[in-house]
Amino acid sequence: MTRRLLIAAACLALITVPLWIGNNYYVNIASQILIYAVFALGLNVLVGYAGLVSLGHAGLFGVGCYAAAWLLAGGFGHLTAALIALLIILATSAAFAVLSLRTSGIGFVMITLALGQILWGLAYRWIGLTGGDNGINVPSRPAPFGLSLASAAPFYYFTLIVFALAVASMAVFVASPFGASLRGTRDQPRRMTALGYNVWLIRFLAFLFSGFWSGVAGLLFCYFNEFVSPNVLALSSSAEVLLMVISGGSGTLLGPIAGAALVVIMKNVASAYIERWNFVLGAIFVAIVIFMPEGLVPGSVRLWRWLWAGARRFPVRGGVR
Amino acid sequence: MSQWLLLGVNSITLGGLLFLLSAGFSLIFGLMRIPNLTHGSFFMLGAYLGVTFLGLGFDFWLAALLAAAAMAVVGGGIERLLLRRLQGQELAQVLVTLGLSFMIADLCLMLWGGDPIPLDTPPGLGGAVPIASIVFPTYRLAIVAIAVVIAVLLWLMLERTRLGAMIRAGVDDPAMARVTGIRVSRLFTIVFCLGAAIAGFAGVIGGPILSVYPGLDSDMLPLALIVVILGGTGSLLGALVGSLIIGFLYNYGQVLFPELAYIILFLPMLLILLFRPQGLFGSRVP
């Protein structure tokens, strides 16, 4: 019951963000958090539920970005551009999946990293297609049903709707038999094979699902910035979203969302005070992996309990033995 | 014609540098089963340390050796202090090396600034050697010679010494190596020190050609990654052949298809992944 109340409160808070947050700058940060939350939810399908850590997801995010930007800059309408971009995202995800699912574990990490770097190289060096470092400008944000998304609040609501769809699809997926079989392939791939499941196909479909939402996030990001540059495909971008998933707690529904909020807020706060965001990112990464591998939320609870238990085990009484 | 030959020499030079980078990467991968994502950072940090040592008035080669020694300490420290805590958790180790690579990159940017720093060619090697009517830059030939010497030394170490035999045993079967009394965990530290030192050394001697700039690490790391996927993990010969292939593809691709050079680089990797996932000379799928 309290759980439902909490969810209702969270929904209400999300819906009313532009009303109480005041400044457009903060509304835009909220939109960014939602976009990255969609991205992190997408990656979480692989990292959390399939046990496959991808370091190339910025590639899929970037393909969504670039496909939409290129089509829009080429004069296509918004609906056509979005649909074609979604097809391209699915095709790229399928290609990534076919190549990387030949292995799992560390091999998977390496191959996805290399594939991500290929796409980064394409965006950076194939100047004729992508404009290289200059990137591509997007002429306008879409206007679904004639509603303009040009200002911050309407765009926030647009993002919120997509985010809600993503969360809903994740909730359905996690509860579905398919979600259960995916977790099965994560924990016991050989037993799943012995039970007659096609492990490869399950992972392939999960990869498509994951790539789809990552690409959709990319599409949103392209609308948000109205500009794309090779930076969105960089390895640091893949690492950032992986940090969101891991820091929030992979394999949970809320973890990646919390992680996205944490990283985006930290990034904005950190860059206001210090230039060294990448150093902070790296340091947090190392600290989380070493001290709280299960994620910040469960990790802090465990650390707190441990400290509490430690304090009670060694009560402070005069003198040290 | 001579232009293509010169390009060939450049390719072999790059191949030599890549070999120095990926030999350590490959050994670490073979032994510890993890791609060390800080390896590109070792290359860059070594190069920057070389810049500092040169600024202090050291001789070029001494600066390179000092940078190598410093990198050995850094590499060993990372292995002992961080990776050792996560023994057996390969994924966590990879993520730690990734986090470290960001930290090192940002640290270098903070300490040495964002402008590319060109290194002077060491005195005496600045000229060019005419061989059969074609003029080859001396320094590039010197790099090739150094790479060959280090390759031979590494090969002798691996094939002819007790330490090398232990490393090979660890690469083939760590559990069995432990049972026979080899301290595999100590090998981890040794290989990490060695790999970092060679990478740092390569960074300095590559400086006069590549110059030192922020982003050098993320330019070199994928190359080392492809080399190892091509050649197979833990194989010195694989690293050598892979480096040469990539050296040639990179240089000729750059001239023939400037916009697609980067893609061409990855094509052989895709083919290998599809048809021979253990790599050309590897025995195990990563």
Side-chain angles (χ1 to χ4, degrees), chain A residues 47 51-53 55 98-100 102-111 113-115 117-122 124-129 235-240 242 246 275-287 289-291 293, chain B residues 25 29 33-35 37 81-82 85-86 89-104 106-107 109-110 218-219 221-222 225-226 228-229 233 250 254 258-263 266-267 269-270 273-277 285-286:
Chain A
V47 175
L52 298 165
V53 174
L55 270 178
V98 166
L99 288 168
S100 56
R102 301 180 63 79
T103 60
S104 57
I106 298 298
F108 185 85
V109 179
M110 272 175 75
I111 295 173
L113 188 142
L115 290 171
Q117 288 300 109
I118 296 186
L119 288 184
W120 174 83
L122 259 184
Y124 188 57
R125 306 269 165 91
W126 195 353
I127 296 164
L129 184 75
L235 176 59
S236 60
S237 178
S238 285
E240 238 172 67
L242 187 59
I246 294 178
E275 285 175 60
R276 309 262 77 94
W277 163 242
N278 271 331
F279 190 86
V280 176
L281 173 75
I284 298 173
F285 223 120
V286 171
V289 170
I290 291 183
F291 297 112
Chain B
F25 188 80
F29 201 146
R33 309 292 196 261
I34 58 162
L37 299 184
L81 300 177
L82 294 175
R85 292 164 154 271
L86 301 167
Q89 307 171 40
E90 277 129 2
L91 205 57
Q93 290 181 328
V94 177
L95 295 180
V96 164
T97 62
L98 180 69
L100 283 173
S101 77
F102 287 120
M103 293 170 71
I104 293 176
D106 222 26
L107 210 62
L109 191 63
M110 192 157 64
S218 48
D219 279 356
L221 177 68
L225 210 63
I226 317 174
V228 171
I229 292 178
T233 58
Y250 190 81
Q254 208 74 288
E259 291 203 318
L260 297 178
Y262 211 70
I263 302 302
F266 284 93
L267 276 183
M269 184 196 85
L270 294 184
L273 283 177
L274 287 175
F275 298 111
R276 202 180 152 75
V285 180

Side-chain angles (χ1 to χ4, degrees), chain B residues 239-252:
Chain B
L240 185 65
V241 174
S243 302
L244 284 175
I245 294 176
I246 294 304
F248 274 90
L249 279 178
Y250 190 81
N251 278 293
Y252 282 89

Side-chain angles (χ1 to χ4, degrees), chain B residues 18-141:
Chain B
L18 279 180
F19 169 75
L20 295 183
L21 180 69
S22 49
F25 188 80
S26 179
L27 279 182
I28 293 173
F29 201 146
L31 197 63
M32 300 177 65
R33 309 292 196 261
I34 58 162
N36 168 30
L37 299 184
T38 37
H39 220 71
S41 318
F42 289 163
F43 187 87
M44 182 173 73
L45 186 56
Y48 273 122
L49 287 175
V51 168
T52 299
F53 287 129
L54 279 172
L56 291 175
F58 286 106
D59 170 63
F60 183 85
W61 301 109
L62 192 58
L65 288 177
L66 283 175
M71 288 319 298
V73 174
V74 172
I78 289 174
E79 201 281 320
R80 290 304 295 232
L81 300 177
L82 294 175
L83 298 182
R84 181 63 56 91
R85 292 164 154 271
L86 301 167
Q87 208 155 27
Q89 307 171 40
E90 277 129 2
L91 205 57
Q93 290 181 328
V94 177
L95 295 180
V96 164
T97 62
L98 180 69
L100 283 173
S101 77
F102 287 120
M103 293 170 71
I104 293 176
D106 222 26
L107 210 62
C108 286
L109 191 63
M110 192 157 64
L111 292 177
W112 285 281
D115 294 325
I117 304 174
L119 284 187
D120 286 331
T121 316
L125 295 172
V129 192
I131 301 173
S133 83
I134 301 166
V135 194
F136 292 114
T138 319
Y139 185 63
R140 288 179 183 263
L141 297 180

